[in-house]
Amino acid sequence: MSGDRCLPQHHIQDDPTFPHPLVVCPKTKPCGYREAMSLGNKYVRLNVGGMLFFTPLQVLTRQNSLLKAMFSGKKEVFTDKEGWILIDRSGKHFNSILNYLREGTVTLPKGRQAVQELLAEAKYYRVQGLVELCQNTLQDNKEQPMCVIPVITSCKEEEQLIQSSSKPVVKLLYNRSNNKYSYTSNSDDNLLKNIELFDRLSLSFNSRVLFFKDVIGDEICCWSFYGQGRKLAEVCCTSIVYATEKKQTKVEFPEARIYEETLNTLLYETMPLPDNSLLEATRRSYNNCGSLSEEEEGPGGPEPRERVRRIHVKRYSTYDDRPLGH
């Protein structure tokens, strides 16, 4: 194969990631293993999807794989006019394939998507050990959901969730089919906005508030807010409007009110008690923070400063006097 030999006759340094510009190969020709491999050649030049690699022949034939079949005479290979052996695959992860063939192990790329891409290449080249490594990694590192939203199907489930939760609770009830009238023109958009707001709030506060959905209730779109096992407020987003000849159901999107009630539920969190050592350190810091004048101290000495926050008590009284839904 004069002028189209697959390997150079001079020694080439082993560099699997040796950078080269993209090679345009207008002509290719098949050649057998003996034509591609001449005695004394130790390195192979590979063009994998436009990316060029130099690697020893013994690396490619070390394990039972498609590459070993290509370079042991069992499979026909193709070269371009400059002698580069062509492989019609993406070269993005080919370096990882070579490293695994060379070392018997490899550091997998970061990210589930990248590992899945490498798995596809390992299956194509039939590198079984790398296939198993990728599969085990994907199985062990399953992506965990950012939050889990229960969907209740009965009043009993709702009661159990609310009573057993140590967090405040926000429930969204939506049931578009529970309507005997037609909807106004903006109702569907507003219903979708309520659902999207619920998703945003659950992503933001899922560590502090229990969110769940109800899809079988009697309302069309209604928010309910609970704290310490009892109902605090309710925001109903539907109403009946009278058109010229018929009644229609209107779904609204009171975004500000929903945000307000959600933030108010945070006042009903079960907060952990302060650590005793922290209280002692705070007390010592207060006693050592400078002396007060006699007028400030008064006849009986300095009066201890009240450090207990009363905001929860204040909010409780506010909600006790507040009718539901207002």
Side-chain angles (χ1 to χ4, degrees):
M1 297 175 59
S2 60
D4 287 319
R5 303 188 62 174
C6 296
L7 296 175
Q9 295 297 321
H10 59 279
H11 178 75
I12 304 176
Q13 183 179 0
D14 179 17
D15 185 2
T17 60
F18 187 79
H20 288 274
L22 183 65
V23 177
V24 180
C25 306
K27 295 182 180 180
T28 63
K29 59 172 62 179
C31 62
Y33 168 74
R34 285 183 169 75
E35 293 176 298
M37 304 289 109
S38 61
L39 294 177
N41 286 328
K42 299 180 180 180
Y43 289 81
V44 181
R45 300 192 302 175
L46 300 172
N47 181 340
V48 185
M51 299 179 66
L52 308 182
F53 300 87
F54 288 168
T55 191
L57 176 61
Q58 62 179 358
V59 170
L60 299 173
T61 58
R62 184 167 295 172
Q63 299 186 26
N64 289 327
S65 65
L66 177 65
L67 293 170
K68 182 176 182 179
M70 292 175 60
F71 296 100
S72 60
K74 298 180 181 179
K75 188 175 179 64
E76 189 176 51
V77 296
F78 292 83
T79 63
D80 62 12
K81 64 179 182 180
E82 297 180 356
W84 292 89
I85 298 175
L86 302 176
I87 299 179
D88 187 20
R89 296 290 292 183
S90 171
K92 179 179 179 180
H93 298 289
F94 191 72
N95 189 43
S96 297
I97 301 289
L98 294 179
N99 287 338
Y100 185 85
L101 293 175
R102 182 183 296 105
E103 305 293 342
T105 185
V106 69
T107 301
L108 297 181
K110 295 181 180 180
R112 188 176 183 86
Q113 179 64 33
V115 176
Q116 290 175 336
E117 293 173 358
L118 179 57
L119 174 61
E121 296 303 306
K123 288 181 177 180
Y124 174 80
Y125 292 109
R126 300 201 292 268
V127 184
Q128 187 59 33
L130 184 55
V131 170
E132 295 175 358
L133 178 62
C134 293
Q135 289 176 338
N136 292 337
T137 300
L138 292 173
Q139 184 175 3
D140 295 339
N141 297 331
K142 291 183 178 179
E143 293 183 351
Q144 298 297 325
M146 297 183 65
C147 63
V148 178
I149 305 298
V151 178
I152 62 171
T153 57
S154 68
C155 295
K156 185 177 180 180
E157 289 181 357
E158 176 181 347
E159 183 178 355
Q160 289 177 344
L161 276 175
I162 295 173
Q163 297 301 326
S164 62
S165 175
S166 60
K167 305 176 182 178
V169 177
V170 174
K171 180 189 77 170
L172 172 62
L173 186 161
Y174 64 93
N175 186 359
R176 189 184 184 282
S177 61
N178 188 28
N179 181 36
K180 57 183 179 181
Y181 305 115
S182 62
Y183 285 99
T184 59
S185 58
N186 295 329
S187 292
D188 284 333
D189 289 340
N190 287 335
L191 180 60
L192 181 59
K193 289 178 181 178
N194 278 278
I195 298 173
E196 291 175 343
L197 177 59
F198 180 89
D199 292 339
R200 294 199 304 270
L201 291 173
S202 61
L203 289 175
S204 300
F205 299 105
N206 69 88
S207 62
R208 303 174 63 184
V209 178
L210 172 63
F211 292 85
F212 67 87
K213 293 180 179 180
D214 183 355
V215 295
I216 61 170
D218 297 330
E219 297 288 344
I220 297 173
C221 182
C222 184
W223 296 74
S224 300
F225 305 87
Y226 302 83
Q228 297 182 346
R230 63 191 182 89
K231 194 171 187 179
L232 304 175
E234 183 178 274
V235 178
C236 184
C237 302
T238 57
S239 60
I240 302 298
V241 297
Y242 292 86
T244 54
E245 297 180 356
K246 59 182 179 179
K247 297 179 181 179
Q248 286 186 309
T249 299
K250 181 180 181 181
V251 179
E252 299 177 343
F253 178 50
E255 182 176 12
R257 176 69 186 279
I258 294 168
Y259 264 111
E260 177 188 0
E261 297 298 345
T262 301
L263 295 177
N264 286 340
T265 62
L266 298 179
L267 300 176
Y268 290 80
E269 287 184 288
T270 303
M271 304 300 293
L273 294 176
D275 186 83
N276 289 332
S277 60
L278 178 60
L279 289 176
E280 184 65 24
T282 305
R283 192 174 296 115
R284 285 199 303 267
S285 174
Y286 172 71
N287 293 334
N288 298 330
C289 67
S291 60
L292 299 173
S293 66
E294 292 184 358
E295 292 149 0
E296 293 173 328
E297 291 180 0
E303 296 182 0
R305 180 180 300 175
E306 180 61 64
R307 293 182 173 276
V308 179
R309 296 182 63 192
R310 298 297 184 185
I311 186 171
H312 286 190
V313 176
K314 183 178 180 182
R315 295 305 300 181
Y316 293 160
S317 62
T318 301
Y319 273 104
D320 287 340
D321 299 332
R322 175 180 180 177
L324 296 181
H326 296 277

